[in-house]
Amino acid sequence: QVQLVESGGGVVQPGRSLRLSCAASGFTFSSYGMHWVRQAPGEGLDWVAVIWSDGSDKYYTDSVKGRFTISRDNSKNTIYLQMNSLRAEDTAVYYCARDIAPSGLNIDYWGQGTLVTVSS
Amino acid sequence: DIQMTQSPSSLSPSVGDRVTITCRASQNINNYLNWYQQKPGKGPKLLIYAASSLRSGVPSRFSGSGSGTDFTLTISTLQPEDVASYYCQQSYRTPVTFGQGTKVEIK
C-alpha cells in the first residue's frame, strides 16, 4: 500500500532554515509527481509546491518562491523541501502528497504530516 | 490565482440526513475539481476527482457534480464516521488552490 512518511519538522527561529524529507513506499515512485501542502494550526489546506516525476518541472506558491526549494531523489524514493528564511507565517503541518500522474495537479495520497514551528 | 469559495463553513446535520456542500471557482475550471475529506489529526483523503468520479473504495453515499464554476459534494445519508472537514481543490492551473473547508459535525 502507498505510504508517505514525512520527517524533519521542529521548532526553528525566524530567518533560519529547515529541510523536510518524505520517504515513499508501496508504489513506483519515479512515475508520479509529488507535492508539499501545508496547514496552519486550525486553518485550511495551503498548497506549497509540486515536482514532476522526473524532476524536470517545479512550481511554487508565490509566498514561498525564492525561499523554498522542492527536490527529489528517485534512487531513494524521497522528496525534500528545503525551507530558507523562515517566517512565523510558515508555521504549519507540512504534508507530503502524491499526484495521480507523472505531471499534474491532482493529489490522491497524503502523508500524516510533520509540524514546523517558526518562533523565537 | 483561482479562488475557491466553499459554503457553508460548518453544518450540524443528523445521522441519516442528506448533506450538500458547494464550491464555487472564480473562473471556469471545466471539471478540474477534486474533493477531500480530512479527519482530525490525519492527512486528507481523496473522495471525488474530476468533479464527479468516485474514487475506488469510497462509499457510494458520496457523490460530486458540477462543471465550469459551480460544484457540489453530496452525502446522501450521513453516517457517524463522516464527521470531518471537507475541502474542494482546483487542479486547472498552478497555483493549486483549495476551498476554505466545511466542517461537518453530528447534531
Side-chain angles (χ1 to χ4, degrees), chain A residues 1-115:
Chain A
Q1 70 280 22
V2 173
Q3 282 200 321
L4 301 169
V5 180
E6 304 91 339
S7 61
V11 180
V12 61
Q13 293 178 328
R16 304 297 290 256
S17 299
L18 204 61
R19 188 177 85 155
L20 305 182
S21 300
C22 170
S25 61
F27 62 100
T28 305
F29 180 73
S30 59
S31 296
Y32 293 87
M34 298 293 295
H35 300 254
W36 287 101
V37 180
R38 65 186 177 182
Q39 187 170 35
E43 301 295 323
L45 301 169
D46 181 28
W47 178 80
V48 175
V50 62
I51 184 168
W52 283 177
S53 60
D54 60 359
S56 59
D57 275 307
K58 309 170 186 180
Y59 298 92
Y60 301 89
T61 192
D62 282 349
S63 63
V64 309
K65 281 180 184 174
R67 299 190 299 124
F68 290 11
T69 302
I70 188 171
S71 61
R72 65 190 296 157
D73 185 338
N74 284 349
S75 69
K76 295 183 178 179
N77 288 1
T78 301
I79 66 164
Y80 305 96
L81 187 68
Q82 177 67 41
M83 304 186 293
N84 299 331
S85 303
L86 281 161
R87 306 167 180 169
E89 55 265 36
D90 296 319
T91 294
V93 173
Y94 283 74
Y95 294 101
C96 163
R98 191 190 82 164
D99 201 282
I100 64 172
S103 57
L105 303 175
N106 298 284
I107 297 170
D108 61 354
Y109 286 98
W110 302 64
Q112 291 292 86
T114 186
L115 177 61

Side-chain angles (χ1 to χ4, degrees), chain B residues 73-95:
Chain B
L73 173 70
T74 300
I75 309 173
S76 60
T77 308
L78 188 73
Q79 299 299 306
E81 59 266 32
D82 300 335
V83 169
S85 292
Y86 294 84
Y87 295 90
C88 61
Q89 174 241 327
Q90 65 82 14
S91 57
Y92 186 74
R93 68 157 60 101
T94 60

